[in-house]
Amino acid sequence: MNLPTRETLRLAWVREKLQDPEAALERASSDASFRSYWRARSGGRSWVLMDAPPDREDIRPWLDIADRLIRAGLHAPDIQAADAERGFVLMEDLGDRVLLQELRQTTVDRLYGQAMDALLRMQLRADADGLPDYDEARLVAEMELMPEWLLGRHLGFTPECGQWDVIESAFRALVENTRRQRQVFVHRDYHSRNLLVTEVDSPGIVDFQDAVRGPITYDLVSLLRDCYIVWPEDRVYGWAEDYRLRLQGAGIAVPEADGFRRAFDLMGLQRHVKVLGIFCRLWYRDGKAGYLQDLPRVWKYTREVGLRYPETEGLVRLIESAIGDRDLSLPI
């Protein structure tokens, strides 16, 4: 007996939920996970169908976080229907104006302003109770992707015992930085590819299913030191300081400017060390080559920030020696 294909199941499910046997689907996008997104059209309207095969991904965390964000007054997509057993969600269509594509010198202050308005609301209002803690085990496990996939798989470099000491010392410093920070709701991937410019309540927020309770600078540095676009340092620090003052004005205890900048820098370094590994894994394990093109940008962030702090300089020098004159964007 032939089982129905995923494509057949997907189309039948959306037609049932829209009560339209003529409803059509067209691919909208995919991401770094196993999820895919399809635009459903019926009666002159459109929705987005998320397809997350249940043997690969559980949509229940996604549904939980969507509800938390909506209750906090944020523009996560409204849910029309969901089926956790089959891995389908039919939701509001937020459009296709991805923030990254809209960013220009003339628009960035306004668009980042909207994104930081939403971030402040998220950090002040979104319920973080019951979310996983962004604890030492989780942070270190993320950073360990770098020696495994960047150094080992991408560069063919195996650290010696003394070099592992350098790596672990830097990792401890980066973890310690997170412990000193106020813990809030963290989207964990709050950047220009996961924010959409919408006509009302912009930005729309997506890809939030991995939210945790963690450091207050994490989402801010994810936005301002985005792995997909670079802005001059003076602008980045200016935006970060403006945000610090807004937190302060909202009654949130934050360090003074120098302390906040250090926390921001080291938090970004933790994220970028992780991403150096993730982008390599996306190619070598998952066959998604496009992310290698972003490695040089992420390495530039890592190098520039890491060399500013004695706790992380050794780690950067080690990675630098492993890279040599290699073009990071090219696979082995």
Side-chain angles (χ1 to χ4, degrees), residues 134-137 139 172-183 215 267:
Y134 217 170
D135 57 14
E136 179 175 0
L139 290 160
R172 284 194 297 272
L174 295 176
V175 170
E176 185 59 31
N177 173 62
T178 71
R179 289 177 174 157
R180 300 190 187 103
Q181 298 185 43
R182 186 183 182 93
Q183 304 295 295
M267 190 73 261

Side-chain angles (χ1 to χ4, degrees), residues 50-282:
M50 181 175 77
D51 181 351
D55 60 330
R56 310 302 292 270
E57 296 214 15
D58 182 359
I59 66 169
R60 287 172 295 185
W62 191 99
L63 294 169
D64 172 49
I65 302 302
D67 180 63
R68 292 173 189 247
L69 293 175
I70 290 169
R71 285 190 284 114
L74 293 151
H75 195 179
D78 189 45
I79 309 303
Q80 174 90 1
D83 186 332
E85 186 175 325
R86 297 181 184 178
F88 296 134
V89 180
L90 186 64
M91 68 187 88
E92 172 191 2
D93 186 354
L94 296 179
D96 53 12
R97 294 178 62 195
V98 178
L99 179 62
L100 179 61
Q101 299 167 352
E102 302 284 331
L103 290 171
R104 308 280 188 278
Q105 290 289 345
T106 54
T107 64
V108 62
D109 285 316
R110 174 176 58 83
L111 294 175
Y112 272 12
Q114 292 174 344
M116 286 187 282
D117 286 346
L119 179 58
L120 184 64
R121 193 177 310 125
M122 185 163 64
Q123 294 187 334
L124 294 176
R125 299 182 188 174
D127 179 13
D129 288 349
L131 293 180
D133 286 327
Y134 217 170
D135 57 14
E136 179 175 0
R138 192 177 296 267
L139 290 160
V140 171
E142 290 180 344
M143 290 187 286
E144 285 176 342
L145 296 173
M146 184 276 294
E148 178 181 0
W149 290 96
L150 174 73
L151 296 183
R153 186 66 179 84
H154 192 52
L155 298 174
F157 177 84
T158 302
E160 299 175 352
C161 289
Q163 292 171 320
W164 275 113
D165 290 341
V166 171
I167 293 170
E168 290 168 3
S169 175
F171 286 3
R172 284 194 297 272
L174 295 176
V175 170
E176 185 59 31
N177 173 62
T178 71
R179 289 177 174 157
R180 300 190 187 103
Q181 298 185 43
R182 186 183 182 93
Q183 304 295 295
V184 296
F185 182 104
V186 173
H187 176 292
R188 208 168 161 204
D189 228 2
Y190 196 79
H191 59 69
S192 63
R193 286 189 175 179
N194 290 332
L195 299 172
L196 293 121
V197 178
T198 57
E199 294 299 324
V200 178
D201 295 331
S202 192
I205 303 172
V206 297
D207 205 22
F208 40 68
Q209 65 286 333
D210 294 324
V212 293
R213 180 179 175 273
I216 199 166
T217 61
Y218 190 92
D219 283 338
L220 182 66
V221 77
S222 177
L223 176 70
L224 300 182
R225 286 207 176 113
D226 192 326
C227 295
Y228 307 106
I229 191 167
V230 176
W231 300 100
E233 279 287 76
D234 59 339
R235 296 191 81 176
V236 170
Y237 282 133
W239 290 322
E241 174 61 8
D242 287 345
Y243 192 79
R244 184 190 74 85
L245 293 173
R246 293 187 66 186
L247 286 170
Q248 203 170 58
I252 303 298
V254 290
E256 292 304 311
D258 288 347
F260 190 81
R261 176 181 289 201
R262 173 186 168 83
F264 175 86
D265 276 349
L266 294 180
M267 190 73 261
L269 188 55
Q270 187 278 336
R271 176 173 171 80
H272 292 133
V273 166
K274 169 185 76 171
V275 171
L276 287 172
I278 287 176
F279 281 2
C280 292
R281 186 177 68 178
L282 282 167

Side-chain angles (χ1 to χ4, degrees), residues 313-324:
E313 181 181 1
L315 174 66
V316 171
R317 295 300 185 196
L318 189 156
I319 300 172
E320 199 171 41
S321 69
I323 294 172

Side-chain angles (χ1 to χ4, degrees), residues 28-45:
S29 67
S30 58
D31 59 23
S33 72
F34 297 105
R35 295 182 300 276
S36 60
Y37 297 87
W38 304 80
R39 186 159 278 112
R41 300 191 185 277
S42 172
R45 295 184 59 192

